[in-house]
Amino acid sequence: MIPLTQDQLRTYGEVGHLTVGSVFSDRDMQAVTDDAEAWARQELAKLAPSDRAWYVETAIKEQDVLRKLDNPIYLRPAFRALAANKTLLAMVEQLIGPDPTAFFSQLFFKAPGGGGPKPVHQDNFYFGPNDNESMVTVWIALDDAEVSNGCLYYADGSNQGPVLPHTAPEGQPFNLLIVDDIARDYEMTPAPVPRGGISFHHGNTLHQSADNHSDRPRRACAIHYGNGRTELLHSTLTYDPAVVISF
Ligand SMILES: O=C(O)CCC(=O)C(=O)O
């Protein structure tokens, strides 16, 4: 596969996100989804009560289902292989410059029949980098992500605007969001991604995802890359420097 074309780079610069299909094979995706499910079973079995609010899906009452897990590329070799994929890294370098460094990664489960929404936010508010242009999120679709199962929505062009104030709802310090009074000024457009494809987004791009109304999972792995000069100078949450991986 060739890295990104000039047209794709222009689109990314203008709207702040870019969808690229077929980066990974079905076989790659089967390996990581099998690993994700095995890991989820292990983690659910030993989850501390104090971590439940952070990791367990509150919208599904019948059984415990994970909402997310942190650091898949640090903890799981199958996910590390995705993050180190040469084509992917070449694309990341085209978008943000040389020496890609993954500061954090997340595995989102968005379970069938109620996996809950992620409210409107900007990743650069979470990470607080020294240079807002230096961070890109690589969101890998482990299942076909569509409107019915909760794909991402983006505010086109918001990458060219500022990082806005965020607030956290009571009891959910991890769920930083842009309040409705501000968010409603932005039109949010769905960005479906086929399994094995990637949605890249700029750290300033406003985005959100809705509930999973379908009977299919919508699993995704998000990897937050900076370049060799990125420093998280004023991050809002605590990010562990021990999990940072340079490629
Ligand atoms: O997958 C989701 O629903 C949210 C992902 C997200 O906010 C991100 O990757 O920055």
Side-chain angles (χ1 to χ4, degrees):
M1 150 169 279
I2 54 162
L4 303 174
T5 64
Q6 286 306 312
D7 273 357
Q8 286 174 311
L9 293 172
R10 197 174 314 115
T11 299
Y12 180 82
E14 282 171 11
V15 301
H17 62 95
L18 178 71
T19 303
V20 180
S22 304
V23 179
F24 296 104
S25 66
D26 265 352
R27 198 166 154 190
D28 294 331
M29 293 298 93
Q30 196 57 53
V32 288
T33 48
D34 287 350
D35 188 58
E37 295 303 330
W39 187 28
R41 281 192 296 277
Q42 289 162 17
E43 292 301 317
L44 254 180
K46 62 179 192 200
L47 197 65
S50 55
D51 283 338
R52 288 183 64 82
W54 201 283
Y55 294 107
V56 173
E57 181 62 74
T58 49
I60 298 178
K61 307 280 181 225
E62 303 76 39
Q63 55 171 330
D64 278 352
V65 172
L66 285 182
R67 182 176 77 83
K68 68 174 294 203
L69 283 171
D70 290 336
N71 298 314
I73 73 158
Y74 181 72
L75 296 169
R76 309 294 292 188
F79 283 94
R80 175 82 68 103
L82 295 187
N85 176 277
K86 288 205 168 7
T87 306
L88 165 57
L89 292 175
M91 293 178 184
V92 168
E93 292 202 44
Q94 284 180 287
L95 294 171
I96 58 169
D99 304 323
T101 299
F103 284 90
F104 187 50
S105 58
Q106 305 175 79
L107 174 56
F108 295 105
F109 288 95
K110 209 177 280 279
K118 177 76 188 166
V120 180
H121 67 282
Q122 292 164 295
D123 294 347
N124 277 345
F125 186 86
Y126 281 74
F127 293 111
N130 53 332
D131 172 7
N132 283 334
E133 299 304 313
S134 77
M135 288 199 80
V136 64
T137 296
V138 169
W139 191 94
I140 304 169
L142 310 188
D143 300 294
D144 288 336
E146 295 158 351
V147 169
S148 62
N149 65 347
C151 68
L152 293 182
Y153 283 65
Y154 292 113
D156 288 358
S158 53
N159 56 308
Q160 299 181 44
V163 178
L164 302 168
H166 288 53
T167 184
E170 180 81 34
Q172 296 180 25
F174 49 86
N175 211 7
L176 295 159
L177 56 87
I178 297 172
V179 292
D180 284 347
D181 273 356
I182 300 175
R184 73 166 61 95
D185 289 341
Y186 292 84
E187 187 181 345
M188 305 300 290
T189 310
V193 187
R195 181 183 205 224
I198 295 177
S199 177
F200 294 91
H201 62 258
H202 184 286
N204 278 21
T205 305
L206 273 72
H207 59 289
Q208 69 181 135
S209 65
D211 311 19
N212 183 351
H213 298 296
S214 78
D215 56 6
R216 295 170 295 113
R218 193 238 62 182
R219 292 161 294 192
C221 175
I223 309 170
H224 306 277
Y225 290 93
N227 64 32
R229 295 178 316 282
T230 306
E231 291 174 60
L232 306 190
L233 286 189
H234 40 91
S235 58
T236 323
L237 303 183
T238 304
Y239 294 101
D240 181 359
V243 306
V244 173
I245 303 170
S246 293
F247 294 92

